[in-house]
Coordinates of all heavy atoms in Angstrom, one line a residue:
M1 N 0.9 -1.2 0.0 CA 0.0 0.0 0.0 C 0.9 1.3 0.0 O 1.8 1.4 0.8 CB -0.9 0.0 1.2 CG -1.9 1.0 1.3 SD -3.0 0.6 2.6 CE -3.9 2.1 2.6
A2 N 0.6 2.2 -1.0 CA 1.4 3.3 -1.1 C 1.0 4.3 0.1 O -0.1 4.4 0.4 CB 1.2 3.9 -2.4
H3 N 2.1 5.1 0.5 CA 1.9 6.1 1.5 C 1.9 7.4 0.8 O 2.9 7.8 0.2 CB 3.0 5.9 2.6 CG 2.8 6.9 3.7 ND1 1.7 6.9 4.6 CD2 3.6 8.0 4.1 CE1 1.9 7.9 5.5 NE2 3.0 8.6 5.2
R4 N 0.8 8.2 1.0 CA 0.8 9.5 0.4 C 0.8 10.5 1.5 O 0.0 10.5 2.5 CB -0.5 9.6 -0.4 CG -0.6 11.0 -1.1 CD -1.9 11.1 -1.8 NE -1.8 10.3 -3.0 CZ -2.7 10.2 -3.9 NH1 -3.9 10.8 -3.8 NH2 -2.5 9.5 -5.0
T5 N 1.6 11.5 1.3 CA 1.7 12.6 2.3 C 0.7 13.8 1.8 O 0.6 14.0 0.6 CB 3.1 13.2 2.5 OG1 3.6 13.7 1.2 CG2 4.0 12.1 3.0
V6 N 0.2 14.4 2.8 CA -0.7 15.6 2.5 C 0.0 16.8 2.9 O 0.5 17.1 4.0 CB -2.0 15.4 3.3 CG1 -2.9 16.7 3.1 CG2 -2.7 14.2 2.9
S7 N 0.0 17.8 2.0 CA 0.7 19.1 2.3 C -0.5 20.0 2.5 O -1.2 20.5 1.6 CB 1.5 19.6 1.0 OG 1.8 21.0 1.2
W8 N -0.7 20.3 3.8 CA -1.7 21.3 4.2 C -1.5 22.7 3.7 O -2.4 23.4 3.5 CB -1.9 21.2 5.8 CG -2.3 19.9 6.2 CD1 -1.6 18.9 6.8 CD2 -3.7 19.4 6.0 NE1 -2.4 17.8 7.1 CE2 -3.7 18.1 6.6 CE3 -4.7 19.8 5.4 CZ2 -4.8 17.3 6.5 CZ3 -6.0 19.0 5.4 CH2 -5.9 17.7 5.9
N9 N -0.2 23.1 3.5 CA 0.1 24.4 3.0 C -0.5 24.4 1.6 O -1.0 25.5 1.2 CB 1.5 24.7 3.0 CG 2.0 25.0 4.4 OD1 1.2 25.5 5.2 ND2 3.3 24.9 4.7
R10 N -0.3 23.4 0.8 CA -0.7 23.4 -0.6 C -2.3 23.4 -0.7 O -2.8 24.1 -1.5 CB -0.1 22.1 -1.3 CG -0.5 22.2 -2.8 CD 0.0 20.9 -3.6 NE 1.5 21.1 -3.6 CZ 2.3 20.1 -4.0 NH1 1.8 19.0 -4.3 NH2 3.6 20.3 -4.0
I11 N -2.9 22.7 0.1 CA -4.3 22.7 0.2 C -4.9 24.0 0.6 O -5.8 24.6 0.0 CB -4.9 21.5 1.2 CG1 -4.6 20.1 0.6 CG2 -6.4 21.7 1.4 CD1 -4.9 19.0 1.5
S12 N -4.3 24.6 1.6 CA -4.7 25.9 2.1 C -4.5 27.0 1.0 O -5.4 27.8 0.8 CB -3.9 26.4 3.3 OG -4.3 27.6 3.7
R13 N -3.4 27.0 0.3 CA -3.1 27.9 -0.7 C -4.1 27.7 -1.9 O -4.5 28.7 -2.5 CB -1.6 27.7 -1.2 CG -1.2 28.6 -2.3 CD -1.4 30.1 -2.1 NE -0.8 30.5 -0.9 CZ -1.1 31.7 -0.4 NH1 -1.9 32.6 -1.0 NH2 -0.6 32.1 0.8
S14 N -4.4 26.5 -2.3 CA -5.3 26.3 -3.4 C -6.7 26.8 -3.0 O -7.4 27.3 -3.9 CB -5.4 24.7 -3.8 OG -5.9 24.0 -2.8
L15 N -7.1 26.6 -1.8 CA -8.5 27.1 -1.4 C -8.5 28.6 -1.4 O -9.5 29.2 -1.9 CB -8.8 26.6 -0.1 CG -9.2 25.1 0.2 CD1 -9.3 24.8 1.6 CD2 -10.4 24.8 -0.6
H16 N -7.4 29.2 -1.0 CA -7.2 30.7 -1.0 C -7.3 31.2 -2.4 O -7.9 32.3 -2.7 CB -6.0 31.1 -0.3 CG -5.8 32.6 -0.3 ND1 -6.7 33.5 0.2 CD2 -4.8 33.3 -0.7 CE1 -6.3 34.7 0.1 NE2 -5.0 34.6 -0.5
D17 N -6.5 30.6 -3.3 CA -6.5 31.0 -4.7 C -7.7 30.8 -5.5 O -8.0 31.5 -6.5 CB -5.4 30.3 -5.4 CG -4.0 30.7 -4.9 OD1 -3.9 31.8 -4.3 OD2 -3.0 29.9 -5.1
S18 N -8.6 29.9 -5.0 CA -9.9 29.7 -5.7 C -11.0 30.6 -5.4 O -12.1 30.6 -5.9 CB -10.3 28.2 -5.5 OG -10.7 28.0 -4.2
R19 N -10.8 31.5 -4.4 CA -11.8 32.5 -3.9 C -12.1 33.5 -5.0 O -11.1 33.9 -5.8 CB -11.3 33.3 -2.8 CG -11.3 32.6 -1.4 CD -11.0 33.5 -0.3 NE -10.9 32.7 0.9 CZ -10.2 33.2 2.0 NH1 -9.7 34.3 1.9 NH2 -10.2 32.5 3.0
P20 N -13.3 33.9 -5.2 CA -13.5 34.9 -6.3 C -13.0 36.3 -5.8 O -13.0 36.6 -4.6 CB -15.1 35.0 -6.3 CG -15.6 34.3 -5.1 CD -14.5 33.4 -4.6
T21 N -12.5 37.0 -6.7 CA -11.9 38.4 -6.3 C -13.1 39.4 -6.4 O -13.9 39.3 -7.3 CB -10.8 38.7 -7.2 OG1 -11.2 38.7 -8.6 CG2 -9.6 37.7 -7.1
I22 N -12.9 40.4 -5.6 CA -13.9 41.5 -5.6 C -13.3 42.5 -6.6 O -12.2 43.0 -6.4 CB -14.1 42.2 -4.3 CG1 -14.6 41.1 -3.3 CG2 -15.0 43.4 -4.3 CD1 -14.8 41.5 -1.9
P23 N -14.0 42.9 -7.6 CA -13.5 43.9 -8.6 C -13.3 45.3 -7.9 O -13.9 45.6 -7.0 CB -14.6 44.0 -9.7 CG -15.7 43.2 -9.3 CD -15.4 42.4 -7.9
A24 N -12.3 46.0 -8.5 CA -11.9 47.2 -7.9 C -13.1 48.2 -8.1 O -13.7 48.3 -9.2 CB -10.7 47.8 -8.6
G25 N -13.5 48.9 -7.1 CA -14.4 49.9 -7.2 C -15.9 49.4 -6.9 O -16.8 50.2 -7.2
L26 N -16.1 48.2 -6.6 CA -17.4 47.6 -6.4 C -18.2 48.3 -5.3 O -19.4 48.7 -5.4 CB -17.4 46.1 -6.1 CG -18.8 45.5 -6.1 CD1 -19.5 45.6 -7.4 CD2 -18.7 44.1 -5.6
L27 N -17.4 48.6 -4.2 CA -18.1 49.2 -3.0 C -18.4 50.7 -3.3 O -19.5 51.2 -3.0 CB -17.3 49.2 -1.8 CG -17.0 47.8 -1.2 CD1 -16.0 47.8 -0.1 CD2 -18.3 47.1 -0.9
S28 N -17.6 51.4 -4.0 CA -17.9 52.8 -4.4 C -18.9 52.8 -5.4 O -19.7 53.8 -5.4 CB -16.6 53.5 -4.9 OG -16.1 53.0 -6.0
A29 N -19.0 51.9 -6.3 CA -20.1 51.8 -7.3 C -21.4 51.6 -6.7 O -22.5 52.3 -6.9 CB -19.8 50.8 -8.3
T30 N -21.5 50.8 -5.6 CA -22.7 50.5 -4.9 C -23.2 51.8 -4.2 O -24.4 52.1 -4.2 CB -22.4 49.4 -3.8 OG1 -22.0 48.3 -4.5 CG2 -23.7 49.0 -3.0
A31 N -22.2 52.5 -3.5 CA -22.5 53.7 -2.8 C -23.1 54.8 -3.8 O -24.0 55.5 -3.5 CB -21.3 54.3 -2.1
R32 N -22.4 54.9 -5.0 CA -22.9 55.9 -6.0 C -24.2 55.6 -6.5 O -25.0 56.4 -6.8 CB -21.8 55.9 -7.1 CG -22.0 57.1 -8.1 CD -20.8 57.3 -8.9 NE -19.6 57.6 -8.2 CZ -19.2 58.9 -7.9 NH1 -20.0 59.8 -8.1 NH2 -18.1 59.0 -7.3
I33 N -24.5 54.3 -6.7 CA -25.8 53.8 -7.2 C -26.9 54.2 -6.1 O -28.0 54.7 -6.5 CB -25.9 52.4 -7.6 CG1 -25.1 52.2 -8.9 CG2 -27.2 51.8 -7.7 CD1 -24.8 50.8 -9.3
D34 N -26.6 53.9 -4.9 CA -27.5 54.3 -3.8 C -27.8 55.7 -3.8 O -29.0 56.2 -3.6 CB -27.0 53.7 -2.5 CG -27.1 52.2 -2.4 OD1 -27.8 51.6 -3.2 OD2 -26.4 51.7 -1.5
M35 N -26.7 56.5 -3.9 CA -26.9 57.9 -4.0 C -27.8 58.4 -5.2 O -28.6 59.3 -5.1 CB -25.6 58.7 -4.0 CG -25.7 60.2 -4.0 SD -26.5 60.8 -2.6 CE -25.4 60.8 -1.3
T36 N -27.6 57.8 -6.3 CA -28.3 58.1 -7.6 C -29.8 57.8 -7.3 O -30.7 58.6 -7.7 CB -27.8 57.3 -8.8 OG1 -26.4 57.7 -8.9 CG2 -28.6 57.7 -10.0
V37 N -30.1 56.7 -6.7 CA -31.5 56.3 -6.4 C -32.1 57.2 -5.5 O -33.3 57.7 -5.7 CB -31.6 54.9 -5.8 CG1 -32.9 54.5 -5.3 CG2 -31.2 53.8 -6.9
R38 N -31.4 57.8 -4.5 CA -32.0 58.8 -3.5 C -32.2 60.1 -4.2 O -33.2 60.7 -4.0 CB -31.1 58.9 -2.4 CG -31.3 57.8 -1.3 CD -30.5 58.2 0.0 NE -29.5 57.1 0.0 CZ -28.2 57.3 0.4 NH1 -27.8 58.5 0.7 NH2 -27.4 56.3 0.5
T39 N -31.2 60.5 -5.0 CA -31.4 61.9 -5.7 C -32.4 61.9 -6.7 O -33.1 62.9 -6.9 CB -30.0 62.4 -6.1 OG1 -29.6 61.5 -7.0 CG2 -29.1 62.6 -5.0
T40 N -32.5 60.9 -7.5 CA -33.5 60.8 -8.7 C -34.8 60.3 -8.2 O -35.8 60.5 -9.0 CB -32.9 60.0 -9.8 OG1 -32.8 58.6 -9.3 CG2 -31.6 60.4 -10.4
R41 N -34.9 59.8 -7.1 CA -36.1 59.2 -6.5 C -36.8 58.2 -7.5 O -38.0 58.1 -7.7 CB -37.1 60.2 -6.2 CG -36.7 61.1 -5.1 CD -37.6 62.1 -4.6 NE -37.2 62.7 -3.4 CZ -37.3 64.1 -3.2 NH1 -37.9 64.8 -4.1 NH2 -36.8 64.6 -2.1
R42 N -36.0 57.4 -8.2 CA -36.4 56.3 -9.0 C -36.0 55.0 -8.4 O -34.8 54.6 -8.5 CB -35.9 56.4 -10.4 CG -36.4 57.6 -11.2 CD -35.8 57.6 -12.6 NE -36.2 56.5 -13.4 CZ -35.7 56.1 -14.5 NH1 -34.9 56.9 -15.1 NH2 -36.1 55.1 -15.1
P43 N -36.8 54.3 -7.7 CA -36.4 53.0 -7.1 C -36.0 52.0 -8.1 O -36.7 51.9 -9.1 CB -37.6 52.7 -6.3 CG -38.8 53.4 -6.8 CD -38.3 54.6 -7.5
L44 N -35.2 51.1 -7.8 CA -34.8 50.1 -8.6 C -35.7 48.9 -8.6 O -35.9 48.1 -9.5 CB -33.3 49.5 -8.2 CG -32.2 50.5 -8.2 CD1 -30.9 49.8 -7.7 CD2 -32.1 51.2 -9.5
Y45 N -36.6 48.9 -7.5 CA -37.6 47.8 -7.4 C -38.8 48.4 -6.9 O -38.8 49.0 -5.7 CB -37.0 46.7 -6.5 CG -38.1 45.6 -6.2 CD1 -38.2 44.5 -7.1 CD2 -38.9 45.5 -5.1 CE1 -39.1 43.6 -7.0 CE2 -39.8 44.5 -5.0 CZ -40.0 43.5 -5.9 OH -40.9 42.6 -5.8
A46 N -39.9 48.3 -7.6 CA -41.1 49.0 -7.1 C -42.3 48.2 -7.8 O -42.2 47.7 -8.9 CB -41.2 50.4 -7.6
A47 N -43.4 48.1 -7.1 CA -44.6 47.5 -7.5 C -44.5 46.0 -7.9 O -45.0 45.6 -8.8 CB -45.2 48.3 -8.7
G48 N -43.6 45.4 -7.2 CA -43.3 44.0 -7.4 C -42.4 43.6 -8.6 O -42.4 42.5 -9.0
K49 N -41.8 44.7 -9.3 CA -41.0 44.4 -10.4 C -39.7 45.2 -10.3 O -39.7 46.3 -9.8 CB -41.8 44.8 -11.7 CG -43.0 44.0 -12.0 CD -43.5 44.2 -13.3 CE -44.2 45.6 -13.5 NZ -44.8 45.8 -14.7
F50 N -38.7 44.7 -11.0 CA -37.5 45.5 -11.2 C -37.7 46.6 -12.2 O -38.2 46.2 -13.3 CB -36.3 44.5 -11.6 CG -35.8 43.6 -10.5 CD1 -36.0 42.2 -10.7 CD2 -35.2 44.1 -9.4 CE1 -35.6 41.3 -9.7 CE2 -34.8 43.2 -8.5 CZ -35.0 41.9 -8.6
D51 N -37.2 47.7 -11.9 CA -37.2 48.8 -13.0 C -36.0 48.8 -13.7 O -34.9 49.4 -13.4 CB -37.5 50.1 -12.3 CG -37.7 51.3 -13.3 OD1 -37.6 51.0 -14.5 OD2 -38.0 52.4 -12.8
R52 N -36.0 48.1 -14.9 CA -34.6 47.9 -15.6 C -34.2 49.2 -16.1 O -33.0 49.4 -16.3 CB -34.9 46.9 -16.7 CG -35.1 45.5 -16.2 CD -35.3 44.5 -17.3 NE -35.6 43.2 -16.7 CZ -35.7 42.1 -17.4 NH1 -35.6 42.1 -18.7 NH2 -36.0 41.0 -16.7
T53 N -35.0 50.2 -16.5 CA -34.6 51.4 -16.9 C -33.8 52.2 -15.9 O -32.8 52.8 -16.1 CB -35.8 52.3 -17.5 OG1 -36.5 51.6 -18.4 CG2 -35.4 53.6 -18.1
A54 N -34.4 52.2 -14.6 CA -33.7 52.8 -13.6 C -32.4 52.1 -13.2 O -31.4 52.9 -12.8 CB -34.6 52.8 -12.3
I55 N -32.3 50.8 -13.3 CA -31.1 50.1 -13.0 C -30.0 50.5 -14.0 O -28.9 50.7 -13.7 CB -31.4 48.5 -13.0 CG1 -32.2 48.2 -11.8 CG2 -30.1 47.8 -13.1 CD1 -32.8 46.7 -11.8
M56 N -30.4 50.5 -15.3 CA -29.5 50.8 -16.3 C -29.0 52.3 -16.2 O -27.8 52.6 -16.4 CB -30.1 50.5 -17.7 CG -29.1 50.6 -18.8 SD -27.9 49.3 -18.6 CE -26.8 49.6 -20.0
S57 N -29.9 53.2 -15.9 CA -29.6 54.6 -15.8 C -28.6 54.8 -14.7 O -27.6 55.5 -14.8 CB -30.9 55.4 -15.6 OG -30.5 56.8 -15.3
A58 N -28.9 54.2 -13.5 CA -28.0 54.3 -12.3 C -26.6 53.7 -12.6 O -25.6 54.3 -12.2 CB -28.6 53.7 -11.1
A59 N -26.6 52.6 -13.3 CA -25.4 51.9 -13.6 C -24.5 52.7 -14.6 O -23.3 52.8 -14.4 CB -25.6 50.5 -14.2
A60 N -25.1 53.3 -15.5 CA -24.4 54.2 -16.5 C -23.7 55.4 -15.8 O -22.7 55.8 -16.1 CB -25.4 54.6 -17.6
K61 N -24.6 56.0 -14.9 CA -24.0 57.2 -14.2 C -22.8 56.8 -13.3 O -21.8 57.4 -13.3 CB -25.0 57.9 -13.3 CG -26.0 58.7 -14.1 CD -27.1 59.3 -13.2 CE -28.1 60.1 -14.0 NZ -29.2 60.7 -13.1
A62 N -22.9 55.7 -12.6 CA -21.9 55.2 -11.8 C -20.7 54.7 -12.7 O -19.5 54.8 -12.2 CB -22.4 54.0 -11.0
A63 N -20.9 54.2 -13.9 CA -19.8 53.7 -14.7 C -19.0 54.9 -15.2 O -17.7 54.8 -15.2 CB -20.4 53.0 -15.9
H64 N -19.6 56.0 -15.4 CA -18.8 57.2 -15.8 C -17.9 57.6 -14.7 O -16.7 57.9 -14.9 CB -19.7 58.4 -16.2 CG -20.4 58.3 -17.6 ND1 -19.7 58.4 -18.6 CD2 -21.7 58.1 -17.9 CE1 -20.5 58.3 -19.7 NE2 -21.7 58.1 -19.2
A65 N -18.5 57.7 -13.5 CA -17.6 58.0 -12.3 C -16.5 56.9 -12.1 O -15.4 57.3 -11.7 CB -18.4 58.2 -11.1
H66 N -16.8 55.7 -12.3 CA -15.9 54.6 -12.1 C -14.8 54.7 -13.0 O -13.6 54.4 -12.7 CB -16.6 53.2 -12.2 CG -15.8 52.1 -12.0 ND1 -15.0 51.5 -12.9 CD2 -15.6 51.3 -10.8 CE1 -14.4 50.5 -12.4 NE2 -14.6 50.3 -11.1
Q67 N -15.1 54.9 -14.3 CA -14.1 55.0 -15.3 C -13.2 56.3 -15.1 O -12.0 56.2 -15.3 CB -14.7 55.2 -16.7 CG -13.8 54.8 -17.9 CD -14.6 54.7 -19.1 OE1 -15.6 55.4 -19.3 NE2 -14.0 54.1 -20.1
E68 N -13.7 57.4 -14.6 CA -12.8 58.5 -14.2 C -11.9 58.2 -13.1 O -10.8 58.7 -13.1 CB -13.7 59.7 -13.8 CG -14.4 60.3 -15.0 CD -15.4 61.5 -14.6 OE1 -15.3 61.9 -13.3 OE2 -16.2 62.0 -15.4
R69 N -12.4 57.5 -12.1 CA -11.6 57.3 -10.9 C -10.6 56.2 -11.0 O -9.5 56.2 -10.7 CB -12.5 57.0 -9.7 CG -11.8 56.7 -8.5 CD -12.8 56.7 -7.3 NE -12.0 56.6 -6.0 CZ -12.5 56.1 -4.9 NH1 -13.8 55.9 -4.9 NH2 -11.8 56.1 -3.8
F70 N -11.0 55.0 -11.7 CA -10.2 53.9 -11.8 C -9.6 53.6 -13.1 O -8.7 52.7 -13.3 CB -11.0 52.6 -11.4 CG -11.4 52.6 -10.0 CD1 -12.7 53.0 -9.6 CD2 -10.4 52.2 -8.9 CE1 -13.0 52.9 -8.2 CE2 -10.8 52.2 -7.6 CZ -12.1 52.6 -7.3
G71 N -10.0 54.3 -14.1 CA -9.6 54.2 -15.5 C -10.2 52.9 -16.0 O -11.3 52.5 -15.7
G72 N -9.5 52.2 -17.0 CA -10.1 51.0 -17.6 C -11.0 51.3 -18.7 O -11.3 52.5 -19.1
T73 N -11.5 50.3 -19.2 CA -12.4 50.3 -20.4 C -13.9 50.6 -19.9 O -14.2 50.4 -18.7 CB -12.4 49.1 -21.2 OG1 -12.9 48.0 -20.4 CG2 -10.9 48.7 -21.7
W74 N -14.7 51.0 -20.8 CA -16.1 51.1 -20.6 C -16.8 49.8 -20.2 O -17.6 49.8 -19.3 CB -16.8 51.8 -21.8 CG -18.2 52.0 -21.6 CD1 -19.3 51.4 -22.2 CD2 -19.0 53.0 -20.7 NE1 -20.5 51.7 -21.8 CE2 -20.3 52.8 -20.9 CE3 -18.5 53.9 -19.8 CZ2 -21.2 53.5 -20.1 CZ3 -19.4 54.6 -19.1 CH2 -20.8 54.4 -19.3
A75 N -16.4 48.8 -20.9 CA -17.0 47.4 -20.6 C -16.7 47.0 -19.1 O -17.6 46.5 -18.4 CB -16.5 46.5 -21.6
E76 N -15.4 47.3 -18.6 CA -15.1 46.9 -17.3 C -16.0 47.7 -16.3 O -16.4 47.3 -15.3 CB -13.6 47.1 -17.1 CG -12.7 46.2 -17.8 CD -11.2 46.6 -17.7 OE1 -10.9 47.8 -17.3 OE2 -10.4 45.8 -18.1
A77 N -16.0 49.0 -16.6 CA -16.7 49.9 -15.7 C -18.3 49.5 -15.7 O -18.8 49.5 -14.6 CB -16.6 51.4 -16.1
M78 N -18.9 49.2 -16.8 CA -20.2 48.9 -16.8 C -20.4 47.5 -16.2 O -21.5 47.3 -15.5 CB -20.8 48.8 -18.3 CG -21.2 50.1 -18.8 SD -22.5 51.0 -17.8 CE -23.9 49.9 -18.2
S79 N -19.5 46.6 -16.3 CA -19.6 45.3 -15.6 C -19.6 45.4 -14.2 O -20.5 44.9 -13.4 CB -18.4 44.5 -16.0 OG -18.4 43.2 -15.3
V80 N -18.7 46.2 -13.5 CA -18.8 46.5 -12.1 C -20.0 47.1 -11.7 O -20.6 46.8 -10.7 CB -17.5 47.3 -11.7 CG1 -17.5 47.8 -10.3 CG2 -16.2 46.5 -12.0
C81 N -20.4 48.2 -12.4 CA -21.5 49.0 -12.0 C -22.9 48.2 -12.2 O -23.8 48.5 -11.4 CB -21.6 50.4 -12.7 SG -20.1 51.4 -12.2
L82 N -23.0 47.5 -13.2 CA -24.2 46.7 -13.4 C -24.3 45.6 -12.2 O -25.5 45.4 -11.8 CB -24.3 46.0 -14.7 CG -24.8 46.9 -15.8 CD1 -24.6 46.2 -17.2 CD2 -26.2 47.3 -15.6
T83 N -23.2 45.1 -11.9 CA -23.2 44.1 -10.8 C -23.7 44.8 -9.5 O -24.5 44.3 -8.8 CB -21.8 43.5 -10.6 OG1 -21.4 42.8 -11.8 CG2 -21.8 42.6 -9.4
A84 N -23.2 46.0 -9.3 CA -23.6 46.7 -8.1 C -25.0 47.1 -8.1 O -25.8 47.1 -7.1 CB -22.7 47.9 -7.9
A85 N -25.5 47.5 -9.4 CA -26.9 48.0 -9.4 C -27.9 46.8 -9.2 O -28.9 46.9 -8.5 CB -27.1 48.5 -10.8
W86 N -27.6 45.7 -9.8 CA -28.4 44.5 -9.6 C -28.3 44.0 -8.1 O -29.4 43.5 -7.6 CB -28.1 43.4 -10.6 CG -28.8 43.6 -11.9 CD1 -28.1 44.0 -13.0 CD2 -30.1 43.4 -12.1 NE1 -29.1 44.2 -14.0 CE2 -30.3 43.8 -13.5 CE3 -31.2 43.0 -11.4 CZ2 -31.6 43.8 -14.1 CZ3 -32.4 43.0 -12.1 CH2 -32.6 43.4 -13.3
R87 N -27.3 44.2 -7.5 CA -27.1 43.8 -6.1 C -28.1 44.6 -5.2 O -28.7 44.3 -4.3 CB -25.7 43.8 -5.6 CG -24.9 42.6 -6.0 CD -23.5 42.7 -5.3 NE -22.7 41.6 -5.6 CZ -21.5 41.4 -5.2 NH1 -21.0 42.3 -4.3 NH2 -20.8 40.4 -5.5
S88 N -28.0 45.9 -5.6 CA -28.9 47.0 -4.9 C -30.3 46.7 -5.1 O -31.2 46.8 -4.2 CB -28.4 48.4 -5.3 OG -27.2 48.7 -4.9
A89 N -30.7 46.3 -6.4 CA -32.1 46.1 -6.7 C -32.6 44.9 -6.0 O -33.7 44.7 -5.4 CB -32.2 45.9 -8.2
K90 N -31.7 43.8 -5.9 CA -32.1 42.5 -5.2 C -32.3 42.8 -3.7 O -33.1 42.2 -3.0 CB -31.2 41.5 -5.4 CG -31.2 41.0 -6.9 CD -30.2 39.9 -7.2 CE -30.3 39.5 -8.6 NZ -29.2 38.5 -9.1
L91 N -31.5 43.7 -3.2 CA -31.5 44.0 -1.8 C -32.8 44.8 -1.5 O -33.6 44.6 -0.5 CB -30.3 44.9 -1.3 CG -30.3 45.3 0.1 CD1 -30.3 44.1 1.1 CD2 -29.2 46.2 0.4
A92 N -33.2 45.7 -2.4 CA -34.4 46.5 -2.3 C -35.6 45.5 -2.4 O -36.6 45.7 -1.6 CB -34.5 47.5 -3.4
R93 N -35.6 44.5 -3.2 CA -36.7 43.5 -3.3 C -36.7 42.7 -1.9 O -37.8 42.5 -1.4 CB -36.4 42.5 -4.4 CG -37.5 41.4 -4.5 CD -37.2 40.5 -5.6 NE -36.0 39.7 -5.4 CZ -35.5 38.9 -6.2 NH1 -36.1 38.5 -7.4 NH2 -34.3 38.2 -5.9
H94 N -35.6 42.4 -1.4 CA -35.6 41.7 -0.1 C -36.2 42.5 0.9 O -36.9 42.1 1.8 CB -34.1 41.2 0.2 CG -34.0 40.6 1.5 ND1 -34.5 39.3 1.7 CD2 -33.6 41.0 2.7 CE1 -34.2 38.9 3.0 NE2 -33.6 40.0 3.6
M95 N -35.8 43.8 1.0 CA -36.2 44.7 2.0 C -37.8 44.9 1.9 O -38.4 45.1 2.9 CB -35.5 46.0 2.0 CG -34.0 45.9 2.3 SD -33.7 45.1 3.9 CE -34.1 46.4 5.0
A96 N -38.2 44.9 0.7 CA -39.7 45.1 0.5 C -40.5 43.9 1.0 O -41.6 44.1 1.4 CB -39.9 45.4 -1.0
A97 N -39.9 42.8 0.9 CA -40.6 41.6 1.2 C -40.6 41.4 2.7 O -41.5 40.6 3.2 CB -39.9 40.3 0.6
H98 N -39.7 42.1 3.4 CA -39.6 41.9 4.9 C -40.0 43.1 5.6 O -40.3 44.1 5.7 CB -38.3 41.4 5.4 CG -38.0 40.0 4.8 ND1 -37.5 39.7 3.7 CD2 -38.2 38.9 5.5 CE1 -37.4 38.4 3.5 NE2 -37.8 37.9 4.6

């Protein structure tokens, strides 16, 4: 019977490396989207439905600011900001349900 050693450092490192990374600017994009929702008074979730127009509008405004602050391409900025906008919309849906 073969004897196999286990490297706990290698296992720990592989688990750490497999974690998803948080994109740069996600927290600031979330804060900017929340501020846009408050100032425009267009909720992302209302009457039992997601308002996709409001989500896209808030994400586009946040993407302009994200691109100015962090640089990068428009696609990267929109990806981060749409993720943040949909998270905010899903949180609003959750808060409306409870």
Side-chain angles (χ1 to χ4, degrees):
M1 183 167 176
H3 181 67
R4 180 181 287 183
T5 61
V6 176
S7 170
W8 292 108
N9 285 337
R10 184 179 293 168
I11 291 172
S12 175
R13 177 58 50 196
S14 68
L15 288 173
H16 177 57
D17 292 342
S18 67
R19 285 186 188 160
T21 58
I22 298 172
L26 184 65
L27 294 176
S28 65
T30 303
R32 191 168 298 273
I33 286 168
D34 290 341
M35 181 59 79
T36 301
V37 169
R38 277 188 248 137
T39 57
T40 61
R41 295 190 175 135
R42 289 183 65 191
L44 304 178
Y45 180 79
K49 293 191 289 188
F50 290 113
D51 186 357
R52 293 181 182 185
T53 305
I55 291 170
M56 192 65 182
S57 175
K61 285 182 183 178
H64 283 293
H66 184 275
Q67 200 172 21
E68 287 175 9
R69 184 170 183 195
F70 294 99
T73 65
W74 177 251
E76 291 170 348
M78 277 302 288
S79 173
V80 169
C81 294
L82 278 172
T83 300
W86 276 105
R87 283 185 180 183
S88 294
K90 289 176 182 176
L91 180 63
R93 179 182 63 181
H94 176 75
M95 297 303 286
H98 291 84

